Amino acid sequence: MSKTVAGQDAKFDINGTAYTRSKNSGITDVMTDVSINLLGTTTAAGTLTVTNGNPSTDDLKGRIKDFVNAYNSVIDYVNTRSNEKKVSQPKTLGEFLQGPLAHDMALEDVGYNLHRWMTDTVKDLPGGGQMLADLGITSSKYTNGDNDNGKLNIDDTKLTSALNASTTNVQNLFTTIGTAKSPSSQGIAKRV
C-alpha cells in the first residue's frame, strides 16, 4: 500500500517576521550574507547568533580590490561621458545621442568629489593608516581630459603588508562612521 502526501512549505519566524519557503536548506534571501538551513520542527523560540568572524587577509584584499574596481568604473564612466564630443550634424540615432554630457559640470563634480573623498585623510582613526595611500592604494591627479585621470592603483605588496600588520586598522579606514557631518571623519566606503 502506498499513499501520496503533498509536500508543505517550510514556515519560520525571525524577529517576529514570518517567512514561508519551498525548501529547507540554502535559504539566502532572508538575511544578507547568511544561508539558513532548517533542520527540524519546533514551536519553541531558538536563538541564532551571527558573527562576522575573522575575515582572512585574502578575503579583505579581494573586497578592497572589488571596491577599487567599482570606483574605477565610475571614474571611467564620468571621464568618458564628460569628454565625449557631440556630433555637429548627426546622421544616425547613435550620433544624435552622442555627447549629451560633454563638459557637464555636475557630472565632472561627481568625479572630482569622489576622487577627493578617496584621497583625503580619514580623521581621528585609532591605530595607523589614515589614507588609502598608507595601504598602497594611490591615484593620479583628477583633471578633465585623459581617461585614466583619478583612477586608483593598488600596490599589492604594500596592501598585503598593511593587512598583515592590522586588519582592524584597514577595516577602520573603510568603515569608520565618525561623529562629524563632514566626510573627512567618515571611512572611505562610508563617504561613498
Side-chain angles (χ1 to χ4, degrees):
M1 176 174 164
S2 67
K3 182 178 181 182
T4 303
V5 177
Q8 295 181 6
D9 288 342
K11 294 180 181 180
F12 58 100
D13 291 342
I14 296 180
N15 289 338
T17 303
Y19 297 93
T20 302
R21 295 295 181 271
S22 61
K23 61 183 183 175
N24 292 333
S25 62
I27 300 169
T28 59
D29 62 342
V30 175
M31 296 189 311
T32 304
D33 294 330
V34 174
S35 178
I36 299 172
N37 295 325
L38 303 173
L39 304 176
T41 45
T42 182
T43 55
T47 301
L48 171 67
T49 303
V50 179
T51 61
N52 287 335
N54 294 321
S56 70
T57 300
D58 288 338
D59 181 45
L60 289 173
K61 190 188 301 183
R63 290 178 188 199
I64 291 169
K65 287 180 178 182
D66 289 346
F67 180 83
V68 166
N69 289 336
Y71 166 83
N72 284 343
S73 293
V74 171
I75 293 299
D76 271 340
Y77 179 84
V78 169
N79 287 336
T80 299
R81 295 297 176 228
S82 64
N83 292 315
E84 191 174 54
K85 305 242 187 278
K86 283 186 100 40
V87 176
S88 59
Q89 295 181 349
K91 294 182 172 82
T92 67
L93 178 60
E95 288 179 352
F96 179 76
L97 295 174
Q98 187 174 329
L101 297 173
H103 306 293
D104 183 289
M105 293 302 291
L107 181 64
E108 290 176 12
D109 279 349
V110 168
Y112 173 78
N113 286 326
L114 279 173
H115 182 263
R116 183 172 49 90
W117 292 341
M118 291 293 158
T119 56
D120 278 353
T121 301
V122 177
K123 294 182 180 176
D124 304 322
L125 279 180
Q130 297 188 339
M131 298 180 72
L132 286 179
D134 296 332
L135 308 180
I137 302 170
T138 57
S139 172
S140 58
K141 185 176 179 181
Y142 185 82
T143 56
N144 192 12
D146 182 10
N147 280 347
D148 286 333
N149 285 338
K151 291 171 81 173
L152 298 175
N153 300 300
I154 300 174
D155 178 334
D156 194 67
T157 303
K158 194 168 182 181
L159 177 58
T160 300
S161 177
L163 285 165
N164 287 335
S166 175
T167 56
T168 300
N169 288 347
V170 173
Q171 287 176 306
N172 286 339
L173 180 63
F174 282 92
T175 61
T176 296
I177 294 178
T179 55
K181 292 184 179 182
S182 166
S184 66
S185 70
Q186 305 296 321
I188 301 297
K190 179 67 178 164
R191 293 174 182 182
V192 176

